[in-house]
Amino acid sequence: MPAQLLDGKLLAERIRQELRTARTALGKAPIRLVSLEVGQNPAAAVYVRNQTRAATEVGIEMEVTNLPIGTNEAELVATIGSLNGRPEVAGILVQRPLPPGIDPRVVQSAIDPHKDVEGMHPTNMGSILYREPLLPPCTAAAAQQLILATGLDLRGAETVVVGHSEIVGKPIAILLLHRLSTVTVCHVGTKHLADHTRRADILVVAVGKAGLVHGDIVKPGACVIDVGINQGADGRIVGDVDFASASAVAGYLTPVPGGVGPVTVAMLMRNTLRAAGARV
Ligand code: NAD
C-alpha cells in the first residue's frame, strides 16, 4: 500500500484557522511582522510572498523592507535595534542568504528575543534544552506538527534525524526528545547511514541533497518527513527523499513541495502571534 501523504498545505490551512481565532482575541491593535532583507534575492522573494499571504490571512500586518545592497552588518544591526524599540512590531524576520561579510549569528543575536519569531536567538535556541520553547525554530516546529498529525505515539519510537544544522536538525531532535522519542542524529560524519535509517519508525531528513534517501533504506511503515528543498535535474523542486521509491515503503510521507514548507510559514505566524501575547 502506498504511503499516506502528509499534506502540509492542508495542515497549514487548519493551523491558520486556529491562528485567526487567536488573532481576533488579541483585539484591534496592529500586530506587525517585519521582514528584513539585504538586496533582493529571487529565492527569498518566493518566501516573502508566501509569508505575506499567510500573514494577511491570519490578520498580521507584514512590513517588507529591502535594505540597499552594500548594507553592512553594523547598519543591519542598527535597523534591528530600531525595530526592537517599536511596540507594534511583534516579530522580526531576517531573510537569507545574507551577503558575505554579514554574520547571521550576530544579526540573529541583535533581535530582541521576545521578537525573535524565527526562534533562532541564542536565548530561544538555548531554552529548547529545558522544554518546548514559546518561540521554537519554525521548520523544526513544522516537522513536529506533521509528525503529531499522524497520531503516532512518539514515546519510545525510534526516531532518526538526518542533518544536524542549528536551524533544523538539532532543534527537531531535541523537540522529539522532549516527547520521549529515542532519537539518533545522523550527519556528514555518520558512517553507515542506512543502518540507522532502516530502523527508524520516524525519519526526518534535512540535508539538502536530492535523492539522498531512497525507499531501500526506509523501514516499512515509517513516518518520513522530508525537509529538503533542492532543484531537481529537470529544474523542479524536490526533497532529499526519493519520493517514488519511498512512498512504496513508508507509512506516511511528506511531499516536496507542499509538505514541511507551508507548515513552516504557519509556524512563523504562530510565533508572531505568540510574541504578541497570544496563547496558541
Ligand atoms: P545545512 O547545510 O545547514 O545542514 C546540512 C546537514 O546535512 C548537516 O548537518 C550535514 O552534516 C548533513 N549532511 C550533509 N551530507 C550528508 C550526508 N551525505 N549524509 C548525512 N548527513 C549529511 O542545511 P539546513 O539549513 O539544515 O537545510 C537542510 C535542507 O532543508 C536544505 O535543503 C534546505 O533548503 C531545507 N530547508 C527547508 C526548510 C523548509 O521550510 N522546508 C527550511 C529550512 C531548510
Side-chain angles (χ1 to χ4, degrees):
M1 208 169 60
Q4 197 173 315
L5 211 61
L6 286 174
D7 186 336
K9 284 190 193 162
L10 212 64
L11 178 59
E13 169 56 33
R14 223 180 300 147
I15 294 168
R16 286 197 302 272
Q17 265 170 29
E18 283 170 32
L19 297 182
R20 273 197 294 270
T21 309
R23 168 66 187 97
T24 306
L26 288 175
K28 289 211 162 29
I31 296 174
R32 191 159 290 200
L33 170 61
V34 178
S35 159
L36 284 179
E37 187 181 348
V38 178
Q40 233 164 347
N41 182 316
V46 178
Y47 291 118
V48 173
R49 207 177 317 129
N50 291 338
Q51 289 158 352
T52 305
R53 198 178 301 141
T56 306
E57 201 185 320
V58 167
I60 294 169
E61 291 177 10
M62 184 129 170
E63 181 178 311
V64 178
T65 301
N66 289 84
L67 299 168
I69 298 172
T71 300
N72 65 28
E73 190 178 274
E75 288 162 342
L76 180 54
V77 166
T79 304
I80 290 171
S82 69
L83 293 171
N84 285 341
R86 276 172 53 189
E88 86 285 8
V89 173
I92 303 167
L93 162 69
V94 180
Q95 304 290 346
R96 281 145 211 264
L98 285 163
I102 301 187
D103 181 346
R105 291 184 185 181
V106 171
V107 172
Q108 210 67 39
S109 304
I111 297 174
D112 177 341
H114 299 101
K115 299 188 179 194
D116 168 43
V117 287
E118 290 181 278
M120 283 164 58
H121 186 283
T123 300
N124 291 319
M125 289 288 250
S127 74
I128 209 169
L129 287 180
Y130 290 133
R131 67 186 79 84
E132 217 169 296
L134 184 68
L135 302 177
C138 300
T139 307
Q144 176 173 254
Q145 287 291 318
L146 283 155
I147 296 167
L148 293 176
T150 63
L152 291 171
D153 187 5
L154 295 190
R155 190 186 174 102
E158 286 290 339
T159 297
V160 173
V161 177
V162 188
H164 77 313
S165 71
E166 285 161 17
I167 67 161
V168 193
K170 283 178 195 159
I172 185 65
I174 296 169
L175 288 175
L176 298 175
L177 201 56
H178 286 315
R179 305 242 169 200
L180 296 183
S181 206
T182 301
V183 182
T184 304
V185 181
C186 299
H187 42 71
V188 71
T190 299
K191 289 212 171 97
H192 304 289
L193 183 66
D195 290 351
H196 298 284
T197 59
R198 280 197 186 113
R199 54 176 183 71
D201 301 315
I202 296 166
L203 178 60
V204 181
V205 190
V207 172
K209 287 196 174 146
L212 179 74
V213 171
H214 269 256
D216 61 351
I217 67 165
V218 172
K219 180 177 176 178
C223 169
V224 182
I225 307 293
D226 188 355
V227 181
I229 302 175
N230 311 288
Q231 189 113 35
D234 57 2
R236 279 191 298 176
I237 298 296
V238 294
D240 290 344
V241 177
D242 178 63
F243 189 84
S245 61
S247 64
V249 182
Y252 299 90
L253 178 60
T254 57
V256 178
V260 175
V263 186
T264 298
V265 178
M267 291 295 99
L268 177 68
M269 299 307 142
R270 189 181 73 171
N271 278 357
T272 305
L273 291 183
R274 284 180 172 183
R279 288 166 177 255
V280 67

